Amino acid sequence: MIQTTPQTSGSTSFPLSLKAVIIDLDGTLLDTAQDLALAANEMLRELRMTELPASTIQTFIGKGVPKLVKRTLTNNPDGEPDPELFEQALPIYERCYAENLHVHIPAPTRA
């Protein structure tokens, strides 16, 4: 058994007492790019906009969902869509992703 002696650094005491740990799996432990692209194209369809190749959408991934939606709406990595369009599109994308997040990645199972 390993015993640790509490240490302090400034006002923080170590070891930390943790109640939860959050792990961001997208792109780190799971390759979710195909599901992200699928959701983005479903969003575009609902908005009656032209779909993009999944390979294009995959280049827009990074810096969070709002950035992905903006890039997809404008088909531009630095694009800024009309604010009203963005406000309409973001919840559509979030719903589409929630509905499709296990299409290309298997759903987790319990042992």
Side-chain angles (χ1 to χ4, degrees):
M1 180 173 166
I2 300 172
Q3 288 189 327
T4 59
T5 305
Q7 300 175 6
T8 59
S9 173
S11 62
T12 305
S13 179
F14 294 96
L16 298 174
S17 173
L18 299 176
K19 294 183 182 181
V21 175
I22 298 173
I23 300 172
D24 178 9
L25 299 176
D26 284 346
T28 304
L29 299 177
L30 299 175
D31 181 6
T32 57
Q34 289 181 324
D35 291 338
L36 293 165
L38 174 64
N41 271 324
E42 284 195 14
M43 173 196 71
L44 291 172
R45 274 195 303 276
E46 278 195 40
L47 294 169
R48 293 180 167 67
M49 296 176 70
T50 303
E51 292 182 44
L52 299 173
S55 59
T56 298
I57 295 171
Q58 289 174 8
T59 67
F60 297 157
I61 296 171
K63 306 293 184 194
V65 167
K67 221 28 165 169
L68 174 60
V69 170
K70 289 178 179 183
R71 292 168 174 165
T72 300
L73 291 172
T74 60
N75 192 14
N76 182 327
D78 301 313
E80 280 296 325
D82 174 76
E84 288 181 19
L85 176 61
F86 175 72
E87 290 301 317
Q88 179 185 5
L90 184 59
I92 294 171
Y93 175 84
E94 290 171 338
R95 178 180 42 78
C96 290
Y97 185 58
E99 292 170 353
N100 293 289
L101 64 107
H102 294 300
V103 171
H104 296 98
I105 301 296
T109 58
R110 293 193 172 150

